[in-house]
Amino acid sequence: IYDNPLGEDGKPLGKLQAVNMLPYRRKMQIIFQDPSASLDPRMTVGEIIGEAIDIHKLASSKQDRTDMIKELLRRVGLNTEHANRYPHEFSGGQQQRCAIARALIKNPKLLLCDEPTGALDSKTSRDILVLLEQVNRKYGTTMLIVTHNNAIKNMVHKVIILKDGLIKKDYYNETLIPAAELEDL
């Protein structure tokens, strides 16, 4: 867990009751293990991102919308030509980058990541983790990363290890290793 405050009110997420969660739900996004869960195969990547921009009414003009799509693609390491391609034309890592771009549209305060590197090779996994690390640093986004990859615990602030549904370890990581330096991904 990247340990940053969730809201402007400074209340930790764990201290809130479910009934009071609605304002916070608008500040959360999910990155699924399988990026196709958030990428409509009938739409280009630009259309997918543009649809989310439209849903949240984030652009005031067509040019503003186009600029936002380009910026989001740039933020995740893709170029503007990728906007006109369909998700099935991408590698697994590029699809995951598209899913991350879609999740970052609203600059969420909380990003829930379900095995974000689960189906990726070690180089692409490292690239995705570096990207998540950059998002955390630049935007202060709190991330909850669920993973079976033991190496990822070395790059995060708070580690909770579960086994058979029970907490086996719960500690703050004192010696953070940058994602780019992680081994055994």
Side-chain angles (χ1 to χ4, degrees):
I1 298 174
Y2 280 116
D3 197 21
N4 291 324
L6 177 64
E8 295 81 39
D9 58 9
K11 292 181 183 177
L13 188 59
K15 301 285 187 208
L16 299 171
Q17 295 179 350
V19 72
N20 298 327
M21 287 299 295
L22 188 56
Y24 292 98
R25 286 185 56 199
R26 292 185 180 101
K27 298 178 183 181
M28 291 191 261
Q29 288 294 316
I30 299 174
I31 299 171
F32 297 98
Q33 177 178 2
D34 179 3
S36 66
S38 61
L39 302 176
D40 187 334
R42 301 166 298 177
M43 300 170 74
T44 66
V45 169
E47 291 169 337
I48 291 167
I49 295 171
E51 177 186 56
I53 290 169
D54 295 343
I55 287 170
H56 300 296
K57 298 177 174 77
L58 299 174
S60 57
S61 69
K62 190 173 183 176
Q63 184 59 49
D64 190 28
R65 182 181 187 264
T66 300
D67 291 344
M68 289 178 78
I69 291 168
K70 289 178 182 178
E71 173 60 18
L72 283 161
L73 290 173
R74 187 198 60 72
R75 275 174 65 183
V76 298
L78 297 173
N79 59 47
T80 55
E81 291 82 43
H82 288 102
N84 299 319
R85 295 176 56 196
Y86 292 88
H88 71 272
E89 298 178 285
F90 290 133
S91 68
Q94 289 172 318
Q95 287 181 14
Q96 192 65 294
R97 287 173 186 273
C98 294
I100 292 169
R102 190 177 192 292
L104 295 179
I105 285 170
K106 295 191 316 179
N107 283 326
K109 295 288 185 187
L110 177 63
L111 193 56
L112 305 174
C113 305
D114 178 18
E115 293 282 359
T117 63
L120 305 175
D121 61 65
S122 62
K123 182 195 178 315
T124 306
S125 292
R126 184 170 286 105
D127 291 345
I128 293 297
L129 292 172
V130 166
L131 172 62
L132 292 174
E133 189 175 63
Q134 290 168 347
V135 167
N136 170 257
R137 282 198 182 116
K138 186 169 184 177
Y139 301 100
T141 305
T142 298
M143 296 181 194
L144 179 94
I145 302 173
V146 176
T147 184
H148 287 89
N149 187 327
N150 210 25
I152 293 175
K153 74 178 186 216
N154 296 314
M155 68 174 275
V156 299
H157 297 97
K158 172 93 170 156
V159 177
I160 300 172
I161 298 175
L162 301 174
K163 184 174 181 179
D164 299 326
L166 300 172
I167 295 175
K168 292 297 178 183
K169 289 185 180 178
D170 179 354
Y171 62 93
Y172 284 95
N173 188 357
E174 301 289 328
T175 56
L176 296 176
I177 298 174
E181 297 175 21
L182 291 177
E183 297 180 20
D184 299 324
L185 288 175

